[in-house]
Amino acid sequence: MSAPERIHTSRVLVVEGKYDAARLARLTDAMILPTGGFAIFSDKKRQRLLKELAVQNGLILLTDSDRAGFQIRTYITNLVGAEHVAQAYVPALPGKERRKAAPGKEGLLGVEGVPDEIVRQNLLDALGPEAGAAPPLAAAAGRPVTYGDLYDWGLSGTAGAAERKYRLLAALGLPPRLSKKEMLEVFNRLYTFEQLDKLVRAVTNQETPQ
């Protein structure tokens, strides 16, 4: 039997950690952004990014069913405004993830350990009629930014790429630890290619080709 089609949504899916993000990538082609757990409470740049993405595209929140998960959920909802958030939940199922030696404090499975069919159905329930919406490729008309552009701008795969990447993200007020995939998705959500091309060249002191 073939696997169910991945869920399409224009909203940004916010989860707690990288293992949740890796697992959810099998179920949806949405942009997935981890909070780093409680780190979101002090990470001003990631807070600002969440606010921008919430207004631009809307968020869908999927956190663990324990107390910590609900603390993070409540904080982000209040941070960006409830009107910008679709709430998805996983049930409180006892157990532990395979990679862990012992269960968490409350003995409940986190998002990464809940069966696919349950997570999938709860995402669909939270999205309602929105499920199936194609994610936007760019903030406005124009071609999307690609991995090739990151290379051409010297932000990936070239000598000094890491330094240029951090300098650009700092200038844009974005979290410095965005992965290459996250960076590309954020760029396409918030900027056009033309806007970003000018910003990159200004920050990295590259001349605009004639």
Side-chain angles (χ1 to χ4, degrees):
M1 185 171 61
S2 60
E5 183 181 357
R6 292 164 81 201
I7 297 169
H8 306 290
T9 176
S10 59
R11 289 181 181 266
V12 176
L13 176 57
V14 179
V15 296
E16 291 183 48
K18 63 180 182 180
Y19 292 104
D20 298 329
R23 188 277 173 83
L24 268 294
R26 303 200 312 259
L27 304 180
T28 177
D29 58 8
M31 175 184 173
I32 304 174
L33 194 65
T35 67
F38 285 154
I40 188 61
F41 297 159
S42 58
D43 191 337
K44 300 301 181 184
K45 290 185 176 180
R46 193 160 292 250
Q47 290 172 20
R48 185 160 56 248
L49 176 58
L50 285 174
K51 289 180 182 178
E52 291 183 39
L53 291 171
V55 173
Q56 183 79 25
N57 300 112
L59 306 181
I60 177 168
L61 274 177
L62 183 62
T63 61
D64 293 348
S65 58
D66 58 8
R67 181 180 179 184
F70 273 83
Q71 287 178 321
I72 292 170
R73 179 187 297 275
T74 300
Y75 179 82
I76 293 175
T77 301
N78 291 336
L79 176 73
V80 306
E83 69 275 15
H84 298 303
V85 180
Q87 305 284 355
Y89 300 90
V90 291
L93 300 176
K96 73 173 185 68
E97 289 73 30
R98 292 180 181 178
R99 66 180 179 84
K100 295 181 179 178
K105 182 184 295 187
E106 297 178 34
L108 301 175
L109 285 174
V111 167
E112 64 169 294
V114 175
D116 281 359
E117 61 271 18
I118 295 178
V119 175
R120 177 181 171 81
Q121 188 57 57
N122 281 284
L123 286 173
L124 290 172
D125 289 345
L127 290 168
E130 291 182 25
L137 291 177
R143 79 165 180 82
V145 179
T146 66
Y147 285 111
D149 295 322
L150 299 184
Y151 178 83
D152 291 341
W153 288 327
L155 301 176
S156 174
T158 60
E163 181 184 349
R164 284 188 290 271
K165 169 190 168 183
Y166 289 133
R167 199 188 320 159
L168 176 65
L169 293 178
L172 297 176
L174 294 173
R177 297 188 183 277
L178 289 178
S179 68
K180 185 165 66 172
K181 182 176 184 292
E182 290 171 342
M183 183 169 65
L184 188 66
E185 290 179 320
V186 167
F187 286 167
N188 277 315
R189 298 277 175 155
L190 301 179
Y191 304 96
T192 63
F193 169 82
E194 291 75 17
Q195 290 171 334
L196 200 59
D197 187 54
K198 291 180 180 178
L199 288 167
V200 169
R201 296 185 186 283
V203 171
T204 60
N205 297 316
Q206 297 181 40
E207 293 185 4
T208 303
Q210 301 299 315

